[in-house]
Amino acid sequence: MGRNIGYGGTAPRVPGSVVIDLGRRMNRILNIDAENASCLVEPGVSYFALYEEIQRQKLPLWIDTPDVGGGSVLGNAIDRGVGYTPYGDHFANHCGLEIVLPNGELLRTGMGSLPGKDGVDNPTWQSFQPAYGPYSDGIFSQSNFGIVVRMGMWLMPETGHQSYLITFPRDEDFPAIIEAIRPLAQQRVLGNIPQLRHVIQELATTAQPKSAFHSSPGPIPRETIRQHASCLPVGDVSWVFYGTQYGDAASISSQLSLIEGAFAAIPGAKLRLPSDLPPEHYLHSRVSVCSGVPVLRELDWLNWVPNAAHLFFSPIVPTRGRDAQAVHDIVVRLHAKYGFDLLPTLCVAGREMHYIVNIVYDRASVDEKRRAAALMREMIAETAAEGYGEYRTHILFADMVARTYSWGDNALMRFNETIKDALDPNGILAPGRNGIWPKRFRGKGWEILGTEVEDALDGKGIGPSLS
Ligand SMILES: Cc1cc2nc3c(=O)[nH]c(=O)nc-3n(C[C@H](O)[C@H](O)[C@H](O)COP(=O)(O)OP(=O)(O)OC[C@H]3O[C@@H](n4cnc5c(N)ncnc54)[C@H](O)[C@@H]3O)c2cc1C
């Protein structure tokens, strides 16, 4: 559907490309199987459309939506996006693909490759992911090896749920908070992938512009955040943990006691439920997202600056205090260097976390755009030097990020190129996507590296013309 905002939107990487809008007419929900708790969708099915169809049929099923529900169920999963119910790892919860290969052939993966009786779809296509032989689905995620035209997704049977937030008063407790989350996540006490946000996001999610809090140029000072936060419902705190527990009332209550007990190790930690907060507080929107109801509220914090556009910086970091602190220190220092407010949202699992930074900038300002790009480049390079890599990136940074995955003399990229050339010998499908260039483009200077990113923003061109 092309709503990959922060990671490239609808833009193709090579000028002159034909953009295939799968969202407009390939928008059928082909099946919802209530017994199997699964669905089969085309690329143009949005989270809202799937949610509404399930409501219309009155089925006791949840979808799993990212923070913004306007995108494509299939597109987000194929880009390995995330959501916030127990089914939040979207690619891990897909089951079966149908793909148009670059040579025009149609391929079904998983159990779908075994024909069903009398020409119908195999009845276990949405029940078992790998089937027989190599599991090939992964190579069609974040790649340019094929166009996925059907995808099966598992749906979660609806259940009781309780969202909550926990505030922590001191900035410096950040590594201790991560240490406290790890065992709770590994033991699966935490019901979903929780988010850890800095209190600056409490200001931003009021949907008020930054100018309502701070009128001078440059980043908003910590002391100013403190003053304004003290007038907001959560008060003068530092980090805010947003979680949700699932099950019946008794089990949620015992889970919450365990969680409260674990976080009590951090002085001043305080748990609040939605009923403790006014109706406009952001926690109420998390109640929706974390129980499979798509919303658009998350877009509110893009009011932070005028003409806001944004870039996501999303390194994968071990769920360990010292690693979290190492990445945080780099990010804090570089945001100060380039003059941006730091708006972090960390999605924390048991063994890794997506440390997601949202760089919000004024897209009418050439200077801000250049600084945002330079900040991205420097964060990618510095964190990679410490061993942390991005899970997903904007198309402008695809070559740079791809090059950070260079182990074994770029063995992974050489492997990807081998597959690309075999499946797409004419190099027609999304050249350069995720840094994978087909043979006909390779070695001809198409990669965007270093300050070429900023030059591309200035409209100075992004590569040689094909001879
Ligand atoms: C405020 C805000 C919050 C966000 N929160 C989240 C979040 O919580 N989780 C999250 O995951 N994202 C988040 N995003 C990022 C993004 O908006 C979503 O991931 C969104 O769902 C992606 O848009 P889409 O589904 O239209 O993707 P698309 O643009 O359709 O797809 C993404 C990419 O996948 C590839 N692709 C898509 N369809 C196909 C296909 N049929 N075959 C082959 N390749 C294909 C394309 O290369 C495309 O560029 C957020 C963005 C904003 C602005």
Side-chain angles (χ1 to χ4, degrees):
M1 295 182 74
R3 309 228 170 113
N4 214 7
I5 327 165
Y7 294 117
T10 52
R13 178 59 177 76
V14 170
S17 297
V18 173
V19 177
I20 305 175
D21 184 351
L22 298 162
R24 185 150 303 198
R25 285 200 291 253
M26 293 193 76
N27 57 4
R28 287 178 303 165
I29 299 168
L30 297 162
N31 188 30
I32 299 178
D33 183 334
E35 289 166 336
N36 195 51
S38 64
C39 63
L40 182 67
V41 294
E42 291 186 334
V45 176
S46 71
Y47 291 100
F48 280 105
L50 184 57
Y51 172 78
E52 282 159 15
E53 180 57 22
I54 290 171
Q55 299 312 302
R56 195 187 63 76
Q57 294 189 27
K58 297 190 176 22
L59 298 173
L61 295 171
W62 284 356
I63 64 162
D64 184 283
T65 167
D67 273 332
V68 183
S72 151
V73 174
L74 187 157
N76 180 286
I78 215 73
D79 212 26
R80 300 204 293 267
V82 298
Y84 305 97
T85 74
Y87 285 38
D89 180 343
H90 291 163
F91 196 70
N93 284 288
H94 94 281
C95 193
L97 302 176
E98 184 176 289
I99 303 144
V100 177
L101 297 175
N103 66 1
E105 237 182 89
L106 202 58
L107 169 75
R108 283 190 176 184
T109 66
M111 297 304 292
S113 58
L114 192 154
K117 201 176 162 193
D118 300 327
V120 299
D121 292 351
N122 187 288
T124 51
W125 193 17
Q126 270 69 70
S127 307
F128 186 60
Q129 290 163 317
Y132 182 74
Y135 180 53
S136 37
D137 290 36
I139 66 165
F140 296 102
S141 71
Q142 289 196 9
S143 83
N144 47 12
F145 300 158
I147 300 176
V148 182
V149 288
R150 290 181 182 195
M151 176 183 272
M153 280 300 283
W154 288 337
L155 301 166
M156 179 163 156
E158 68 179 20
T159 181
H161 57 101
Q162 176 67 65
S163 294
Y164 57 96
L165 62 77
I166 301 175
T167 54
F168 304 94
R170 301 171 347 139
D171 284 337
E172 55 273 29
D173 282 334
F174 175 59
I177 300 167
I178 301 298
E179 288 291 310
I181 295 173
R182 188 181 58 243
L184 290 172
Q186 286 183 359
Q187 292 157 13
R188 311 232 164 141
V189 175
L190 297 178
N192 67 349
I193 301 293
Q195 285 190 348
L196 185 66
R197 296 174 167 228
H198 193 258
V199 68
I200 186 175
Q201 292 274 32
E202 292 292 314
L203 272 54
T205 53
T206 62
Q208 294 182 81
K210 174 183 174 175
S211 55
F213 307 103
H214 178 64
S215 47
S216 324
I220 181 167
R222 181 69 182 95
E223 196 43 44
T224 310
I225 298 173
R226 210 179 282 289
Q227 281 162 15
H228 289 284
S230 59
C231 308
L232 294 174
V234 296
D236 172 17
V237 295
S238 65
W239 294 95
V240 187
F241 174 96
Y242 284 93
T244 302
Q245 301 307 125
Y246 301 88
D248 60 32
S251 107
I252 287 175
S253 160
S254 73
Q255 293 164 29
L256 284 179
S257 316
L258 279 172
I259 291 163
E260 231 178 332
F263 283 119
I266 299 159
K270 187 171 175 188
L271 184 142
R272 287 189 184 83
L273 300 177
S275 51
D276 303 325
L277 294 160
E280 66 279 6
H281 190 270
Y282 174 70
L283 179 58
H284 295 282
S285 131
R286 294 240 53 86
V287 175
S288 301
V289 169
C290 298
S291 58
V293 182
V295 297
L296 296 175
R297 162 87 191 251
E298 195 68 24
L299 292 170
D300 279 0
W301 55 255
L302 297 183
N303 291 341
W304 193 241
V305 301
N307 301 310
H310 74 170
L311 280 170
F312 280 124
F313 170 67
S314 334
I316 298 296
V317 182
T319 307
R320 227 176 358 227
R322 62 177 183 278
D323 293 286
Q325 190 67 54
V327 170
H328 187 62
D329 288 346
I330 292 171
V331 166
V332 168
R333 177 167 44 78
L334 293 177
H335 271 65
K337 174 177 171 184
Y338 286 99
F340 284 99
D341 295 312
L342 173 56
L343 296 158
T345 301
L346 283 59
C347 302
V348 191
R351 293 174 180 82
E352 66 75 36
M353 57 186 189
H354 294 24
Y355 184 121
I356 299 180
V357 174
N358 319 299
I359 307 172
V360 185
Y361 62 93
D362 178 351
R363 64 180 182 276
S365 159
V366 174
D367 170 58
E368 272 196 37
K369 268 170 38 173
R370 290 189 73 96
R371 276 190 289 122
L375 169 58
M376 273 290 283
R377 286 197 295 105
E378 211 164 325
M379 289 196 294
I380 292 167
E382 275 210 33
T383 49
E386 299 297 320
Y388 310 109
E390 270 57 54
Y391 96 103
R392 192 173 170 192
T393 199
H394 189 282
I395 52 168
L396 276 174
F397 304 94
D399 295 312
M400 187 175 177
V401 168
R403 287 192 177 202
T404 63
Y405 288 85
S406 61
W407 185 88
D409 191 19
N410 298 304
L412 182 61
M413 182 50 80
R414 287 186 284 111
F415 178 76
N416 287 336
E417 288 170 351
T418 304
I419 299 176
K420 179 67 179 165
D421 293 341
L423 292 179
D424 186 6
N426 296 322
I428 56 168
L429 194 62
R433 168 88 173 131
N434 287 86
I436 305 166
W437 291 97
K439 199 172 191 174
R440 132 178 121 95
F441 287 78
R442 272 200 300 277
K444 295 188 174 161
W446 278 92
E447 292 86 353
I448 302 179
L449 296 164
T451 52
E452 286 167 356
V453 174
E454 285 92 308
D455 294 343
L457 293 173
D458 291 349
K460 290 186 190 155
I462 57 162
S465 57
L466 265 187
S467 51

